[in-house]
Amino acid sequence: MDSSFEYEPRNKKLKLAEDEDIERILIQNQNKNLCFGSGSGSGTGFDVLPRDVLLDILTRLPISSLIQFRFVCRSCYALSHDPELPRLYHPVAARTDPILVFHCDYPIRNQLYFVGYDGDQGGDNIVKKISTPFCGSMPEFNVVGSCNGLLCLSDSLYGEPVYLFNPFTRNHLELPKCRQFQDQEVVFGFGFHPVSNEYKVVRIVYYRTKHRLNRNNRSYPRSEVHVLTVGKPNSTNSWRCLGKVPYQLDRQAKEAVVVNGRLHWVSRPGRLGGLPGRTIVSFDLKDEQFKLVSKPVNRSNYHLTVIDGCLAAAVSCGYGKLEIWVMKEYDVNESWTKLFNIHGAYLAKVLSHDYRIWRKAVHGKMVRVLCVLKNGEILMEYRGGNLVKYDPKWKEFKDVVFHGMPELFQTIVHVGSLNWTHTPI
């Protein structure tokens, strides 16, 4: 049966079908009488089920199966495009284990892959290729972030174009161009605020003027903050300049963490506002103000993540020890709680490849905490693109391997959904 995921010739990955094939697939399947109850005249199958029951059934499907369902017949195609389905589907998908998106920094043209993590049976799943419809205009890109089923991608060399992209529906939007400087470094953020119900892309550019251009001087003393609101009916669809940013953010951390309607980055090493070491800096997507957030311990070697919807910090304590702290009540310093202690270095498989994409993501650190799975295990990524899960109960490590995994990648934790920029959350 044809579907939205097509099998390519042997030894090739699975990929999304092109949009122009939709009509052909529907006609073929209609001719094969694949539609529920078609040709029988008996009124069985989907014909007799109420709409709310049908939608409830669809919310229980994995996202790849839901996309395949669209191509069974015209009735299924229409049902899968019910305007209520994206709103109903997303909260159900968010409560399950995540979709893992693999970003492969191949020369000349980057590639995205995905796999659904399914508990202990995760290794039986097959990695599939994601077709990027904008690959001609942006062959090499960085993944700015994932939010509510949408990916934000930016050109890895120039910082633009910038695209919003749902990798399953293949909806994509190229954002308008923003001001560029001759010598600049750009930090992005992408997130959603539940009160204003708006998606925003934040672009922080550090630059220097012509008379300060010097290869031996890598400081960028000037800065500008630009914000673009996406999906709002009355928005001007243009970047707004908020002036200077008061902090020097770490340029190496490509993905900002979104919690409580705020983006979070870590500052560069050094003194920041009288505070030593690397500090957590937040940006409120509603009032568009920067604010410092307390860190759990007075250490500089840490990175941010999200655990159960809360801001979390994975702190490297040396000798293979990793502490995972969670801010259980947002912006309350005393609510930082040490949730996990991971003792002992894990000897992950090391591949003889160029680690440039991984170094850019975590600034040369050996391990990155991705998320806590529904069974309580901690999913981590080691340098070079090695997935490992850690069982805190039995203090055991285990490699996570899927069929068709690429050799070198950076992992993005993603919620598969039908959302687009105007979908109510």
Side-chain angles (χ1 to χ4, degrees):
M1 181 182 73
D2 290 326
S3 69
S4 61
F5 296 101
E6 294 185 339
Y7 282 94
E8 292 189 345
R10 189 178 180 182
N11 297 329
K12 289 192 177 181
K13 302 288 190 302
L14 298 167
K15 69 175 184 178
L16 288 165
E18 298 297 330
D19 291 338
E20 55 266 23
D21 294 334
I22 292 177
E23 186 68 18
R24 174 183 59 81
I25 295 173
L26 289 174
I27 292 173
Q28 288 177 350
N29 289 345
Q30 193 77 44
N31 292 336
K32 295 176 183 177
N33 291 323
L34 292 174
C35 189
F36 292 91
S38 63
S40 64
S42 60
T44 60
F46 277 10
D47 298 339
V48 299
L49 294 178
R51 170 176 172 267
D52 58 341
V53 174
L54 292 174
L55 293 177
D56 182 66
I57 293 173
L58 295 186
T59 62
R60 302 167 189 268
L61 294 177
I63 185 63
S64 55
S65 299
L66 182 56
I67 297 299
Q68 287 178 314
F69 174 82
R70 290 182 167 189
F71 297 89
V72 173
C73 66
R74 294 184 184 277
S75 297
C76 295
Y77 185 83
L79 181 61
S80 68
H81 284 80
D82 189 295
E84 281 293 297
L85 184 56
R87 181 184 65 82
L88 297 173
Y89 187 86
H90 179 76
V92 177
R95 291 194 295 268
T96 63
D97 280 326
I99 296 289
L100 302 180
V101 174
F102 303 133
H103 174 208
C104 301
D105 191 14
Y106 295 145
I108 302 177
R109 174 167 294 185
N110 289 190
Q111 185 60 59
L112 295 176
Y113 298 86
F114 82 95
V115 67
Y117 196 95
D118 187 18
D120 294 332
Q121 281 71 47
D124 295 332
N125 291 348
I126 300 175
V127 175
K128 301 175 184 178
K129 185 177 180 180
I130 296 174
S131 174
T132 50
F134 43 81
C135 60
S137 59
M138 194 173 69
E140 298 187 60
F141 52 83
N142 293 323
V143 179
V144 172
S146 168
C147 183
N148 294 338
L150 307 183
L151 294 175
C152 183
L153 312 172
S154 68
D155 185 274
S156 58
L157 182 58
Y158 302 105
E160 57 182 32
V162 179
Y163 282 90
L164 297 188
F165 177 47
N166 185 319
F168 297 102
T169 66
R170 300 185 76 244
N171 287 337
H172 60 283
L173 173 68
E174 181 178 359
L175 304 186
K177 297 292 190 293
C178 192
R179 184 180 180 186
Q180 295 279 345
F181 297 90
Q182 182 177 350
D183 192 10
Q184 64 181 25
E185 291 182 341
V186 182
V187 177
F188 279 102
F190 170 60
F192 175 82
H193 199 288
V195 176
S196 62
N197 203 41
E198 295 174 339
Y199 290 94
K200 291 184 179 180
V201 180
V202 179
R203 182 179 183 271
I204 303 170
V205 56
Y206 297 94
Y207 69 97
R208 51 189 177 182
T209 55
K210 292 182 179 179
H211 70 277
R212 297 182 68 94
L213 296 181
N214 186 337
R215 290 186 178 181
N216 296 324
N217 180 13
R218 299 308 299 168
S219 65
Y220 292 80
R222 302 193 177 190
S223 64
E224 284 187 3
V225 181
H226 299 91
V227 177
L228 179 70
T229 303
V230 184
K232 190 175 180 180
N234 298 324
S235 62
T236 59
N237 198 31
S238 60
W239 293 93
R240 294 175 288 109
C241 182
L242 304 184
K244 299 179 180 179
V245 57
Y247 311 111
Q248 288 283 332
L249 303 181
D250 188 350
R251 323 291 205 259
Q252 300 293 334
K254 297 298 182 182
E255 186 175 355
V257 171
V258 187
V259 176
N260 204 42
R262 295 187 188 179
L263 295 167
H264 299 81
W265 300 271
V266 176
S267 70
R268 276 189 160 183
R271 290 196 164 269
L272 176 63
L275 299 174
R278 301 167 72 234
T279 306
I280 303 173
V281 179
S282 73
F283 180 82
D284 194 307
L285 292 169
K286 186 174 183 291
D287 62 27
E288 299 182 348
Q289 297 293 319
F290 286 95
K291 183 181 178 180
L292 295 180
V293 178
S294 69
K295 57 185 181 179
V297 291
N298 189 22
R299 288 181 177 271
S300 296
N301 193 5
Y302 66 95
H303 62 273
L304 302 178
T305 187
V306 179
I307 295 178
D308 291 333
C310 298
L311 182 66
V315 183
S316 178
C317 302
Y319 300 100
K321 182 181 178 182
L322 192 69
E323 296 178 349
I324 300 179
W325 293 73
V326 175
M327 182 179 266
K328 293 192 172 182
E329 186 175 350
Y330 186 77
D331 211 15
V332 177
N333 299 354
E334 295 75 19
S335 72
W336 277 112
T337 304
K338 183 162 59 173
L339 213 58
F340 301 104
N341 264 323
I342 301 177
H343 294 278
Y346 178 70
L347 298 177
K349 298 189 298 287
V350 178
L351 305 175
S352 57
H353 294 283
D354 179 9
Y355 297 135
R356 57 180 177 157
I357 186 173
W358 214 92
R359 287 201 308 265
K360 288 192 294 185
V362 292
H363 202 15
K365 295 181 177 62
M366 280 297 298
V367 63
R368 183 167 65 108
V369 174
L370 298 175
C371 64
V372 175
L373 302 169
K374 300 307 176 185
N375 62 7
E377 294 178 329
I378 303 167
L379 185 64
M380 299 180 289
E381 182 183 68
Y382 277 75
R383 179 180 296 176
N386 296 288
L387 290 181
V388 174
K389 60 182 180 180
Y390 175 77
D391 188 332
K393 180 180 179 180
W394 300 103
K395 296 180 172 32
E396 293 178 345
F397 293 91
K398 185 177 180 181
D399 287 306
V400 177
V401 180
F402 300 99
H403 299 296
M405 282 183 74
E407 291 183 336
L408 180 64
F409 55 85
Q410 176 194 346
T411 307
I412 298 94
V413 176
H414 186 71
V415 176
S417 78
L418 303 175
N419 287 347
W420 192 228
T421 56
H422 60 275
T423 305
I425 301 297

